[in-house]
């Protein structure tokens, strides 16, 4: 090692995939000094995840990214279509747990987007780079991590300059994916199988729009015996992916020639002679694993570092986004002095059961098939109900009323509730909104009642009638001893 020097940040995030980028953006939104390091020289160009869930889109919408994400999304029904070939015209629709535009409009100001990960990541990176208190450093690889009573010391290798650099941080977030170095350094094990199946995928371009006209589905499950697999659009243009599970005795797609791949895709599409432009062939193994813990003292795991899911159900990236958002606002609150450190313990308590559920479901060969009624509430995870309302000549969602601290939504009686809210003793910024009767009732607050929400929209406490002294059975959200 040569030229070791130390820089100081409040939070070090290792990995600039969806989890690391979301953690960085959320922390920087609170003015936290955050460094995101990524061992690659640029973000990944693999298209990977192809659906962004309703809740993930709500988080992205809160950062003004809704339209930009949707510009790179395929216009499809968020369902599966089981068919002989893409062109055959006959098939059976299967639910994948994602709401249609009409279903989403009932519960959310936005809807899922069938947009590939390599479209989302540059948008997140640009957003992070625009934040004053954030820095993103590429070609920077975490090598070792040392925990101390007052913080962590990370040794990073600058892969371009070939030298080592030390970073001292109060907290470290391991957002470094399935083979997490942070996880290894924290000594946290994984439980579950990591060799469920070997999958091969081919990314290609072909003008398939006219072939699927009127039957545009997010996933097309092809049953043709010579080309059984899944065909999925990757964005709004003519980019597609064909993927299939490798079975012993079968040729591996990674070993096939371009002509063989073209013939296979032509068979799956059902258009002999189709000439797809092959862009990339890759292999990956299915794993269904969860970290035994999500935390070791000042170190945390988020996303694939904390759980490895198969693509069935499309929850890998979405769970990563939700983990990162959850941990980041909690760390930010503690660092800003808005909550006592006990709040951070709720990260693992709240997020690991979600991760475990999604891991188990993704390991089920039928795990992709899910009814919206079951999957959507899980995705929304108990956040405040959505209703449109008018505020200062604008139509906004109830979700838009949530501040970065605590938000008290009151059904009328504003002066009294404002006075009562001072008894909370909250150090977090407190925002108070008085709702009209219809909106209040629509989200479960009767006129005269009030409810307190966290920034992620989860309810902290509900008071069915006016209460002059407010108490919250969640002391870690408040100034110690004040509740
Ligand atoms: C083929 C495929 C299809 C998928 N389909 C879906 C889908 O349909 N829906 C869905 O939701 N999910 C899907 N996923 C899963 C999704 O891609 C992942 O869950 C998601 O990328 C996880 O994000 P992450 O930020 O946790 O990890 P990653 O995206 O893996 O990012 C981790 C980053 O950390 C960096 N890193 C690693 N080690 C270090 C180190 N020591 N120092 C610095 N940086 C480091 C890596 O280079 C990487 O950029 C799919 C995955 C695959 C492989």
């Amino acid at each position: 090692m040569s030229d070791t020097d130390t820089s100081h940040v409040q939070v070090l995030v290792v990995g600039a995939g969806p989890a690391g980028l979301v953690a960085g953006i959320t922390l920087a939104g609170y003015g936290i000094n955050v460094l995101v390091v990524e061992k690659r020289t640029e973000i990944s160009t693999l298209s990977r995840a192809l659906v962004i869930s309703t809740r993930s889109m709500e988080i992205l919408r809160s950062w003004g990214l809704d339209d930009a994400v949707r510009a790179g999304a395929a216009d499809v029904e968020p369902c599966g279509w089981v068919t002989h070939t893409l062109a055959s015209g006959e098939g059976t629709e299967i639910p994948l747990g994602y709401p249609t535009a009409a279903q989403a409009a009932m519960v959310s100001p936005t809807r899922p987007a069938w947009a590939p990960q390599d479209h989302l990541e540059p948008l997140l990176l640009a957003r992070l780079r625009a934040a004053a208190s954030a820095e993103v450093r590429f070609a920077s690889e975490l090598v070792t991590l040392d925990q101390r009573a007052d913080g962590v010391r990370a040794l990073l290798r600058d892969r371009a300059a070939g030298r080592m650099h030390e970073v001292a941080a109060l907290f470290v977030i391991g957002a470094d994916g399935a083979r997490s170095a942070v996880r290894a350094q924290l000594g946290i094990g994984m439980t579950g199988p990591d060799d469920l199946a070997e999958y091969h995928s081919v990314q290609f371009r072909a003008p398939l729009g006219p072939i699927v006209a009127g039957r545009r589905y997010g996933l097309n499950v092809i049953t043709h015996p010579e080309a059984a697999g899944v065909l999925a659009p990757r964005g709004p243009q003519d980019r597609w992916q064909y993927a299939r599970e490798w079975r012993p005795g079968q040729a591996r797609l990674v070993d096939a020639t371009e002509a063989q791949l073209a013939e296979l895709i032509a068979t799956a599409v059902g258009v002999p002679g189709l000439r797809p432009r092959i862009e990339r062939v890759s292999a990956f193994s299915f794993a269904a694993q969860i970290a035994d813990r999500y935390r070791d003292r000042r170190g945390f795991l988020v996303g694939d570092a904390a759980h490895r899911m198969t693509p069935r159900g499309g929850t890998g990236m979405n769970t990563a986004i939700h983990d990162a958002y959850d941990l980041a606002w909690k760390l930010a609150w503690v660092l800003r002095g808005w909550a006592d450190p006990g709040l951070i313990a709720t990260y693992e308590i709240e997020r690991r059961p979600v991760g475990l559920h999604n891991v188990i479901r993704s390991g089920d060969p039928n795990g992709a098939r899910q009814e919206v009624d079951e999957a959507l509430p899980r995705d929304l995870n108990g956040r405040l109900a959505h209703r449109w309302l008018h505020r200062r000549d604008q139509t906004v969602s109830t979700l838009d009323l949530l501040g970065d601290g605590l938000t008290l939504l009151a059904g009328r009686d504003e002066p009294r509730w404002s006075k009562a809210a001072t008894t909370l003793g909250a150090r977090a910024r407190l925002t108070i909104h008085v709702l009209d009767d219809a909106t209040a009732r629509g989200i479960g607050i009767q006129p005269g009642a009030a409810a307190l929400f966290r920034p992620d929209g989860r309810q902290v406490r509900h008071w069915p009638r006016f209460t002059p002294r407010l108490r919250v059975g969640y002391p870690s959200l408040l100034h110690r001893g004040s509740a």
Side-chain angles (χ1 to χ4, degrees), residues 15 18-19 38-40 48-50 117 142 176 284 304 314 316-317:
E38 166 57 53
K39 71 178 180 184
R40 297 176 202 267
R48 297 192 286 174
L50 80 167
Q117 194 168 329
L142 178 118
D176 49 346
F284 59 101
D304 278 15
M317 183 178 75

Side-chain angles (χ1 to χ4, degrees), residues 285-444:
S285 57
F286 276 11
Q289 294 187 313
I290 187 145
D292 299 335
R293 291 172 290 134
Y294 275 20
R295 175 188 187 179
D296 183 70
R297 290 165 288 164
R298 290 172 175 271
F300 298 85
L301 302 178
V302 293
D304 278 15
H307 40 68
R308 295 179 66 191
M309 297 166 195
T310 78
R312 295 179 196 125
T315 44
M317 183 178 75
N318 291 304
T319 314
I321 290 172
H322 302 179
D323 288 346
Y325 180 72
D326 185 83
L327 174 61
W329 76 258
K330 289 172 179 171
L331 281 179
W333 273 39
V334 169
L335 287 167
R336 288 195 65 157
W338 287 5
D340 73 57
L343 177 63
I344 315 176
T346 67
Y347 166 63
E348 177 169 338
I349 293 168
E350 293 181 6
R351 293 304 307 166
R352 195 170 179 279
V354 175
L356 185 59
H357 174 273
N358 292 343
V359 162
I360 292 170
R361 218 203 61 224
S362 85
D364 175 351
N366 296 316
R369 193 187 181 111
Q370 254 203 118
E371 298 299 332
V372 174
D373 291 354
E374 187 204 336
L376 185 55
R378 278 193 180 279
D379 180 47
L380 300 181
N381 199 24
R383 60 105 175 101
L384 165 71
H386 153 74
R387 290 288 182 282
W388 291 116
L389 71 155
H390 296 288
R391 282 278 135 129
R392 295 183 206 97
D393 299 331
Q394 279 191 316
T395 303
V396 299
S397 164
T398 41
L399 302 188
D400 299 328
L401 303 180
L402 294 166
D404 58 2
L406 289 166
T407 303
L408 186 81
L409 299 183
R412 297 199 215 133
D413 294 330
E414 194 232 354
R416 290 210 296 165
W417 278 115
S418 297
K419 189 152 178 264
T422 60
T423 67
L424 275 170
R427 282 190 293 170
R429 202 191 324 265
L430 181 65
T431 311
I432 302 175
H433 291 284
V434 180
L435 303 176
D436 62 84
D437 288 359
T439 306
R441 281 203 184 91
I443 63 168

Side-chain angles (χ1 to χ4, degrees), residues 13-21 37-40 42-44 46-52 98 117 121 140-143 156 159 174-182 199 201 234 241 282 284-286 302-307 309-321:
V13 178
V14 183
L21 295 168
V37 294
E38 166 57 53
K39 71 178 180 184
R40 297 176 202 267
E42 55 180 27
I43 48 175
S44 171
L46 273 175
S47 71
R48 297 192 286 174
L50 80 167
V51 52
I52 306 172
Y98 295 97
Q117 194 168 329
E121 288 188 14
S140 180
E141 177 180 14
L142 178 118
V143 183
L156 303 168
R159 299 177 86 178
D176 49 346
R179 301 188 200 292
S180 170
V182 173
Y199 237 65
S201 67
R234 296 258 153 185
Q241 181 181 281
S282 41
F284 59 101
S285 57
F286 276 11
V302 293
D304 278 15
H307 40 68
M309 297 166 195
T310 78
R312 295 179 196 125
T315 44
M317 183 178 75
N318 291 304
T319 314
I321 290 172

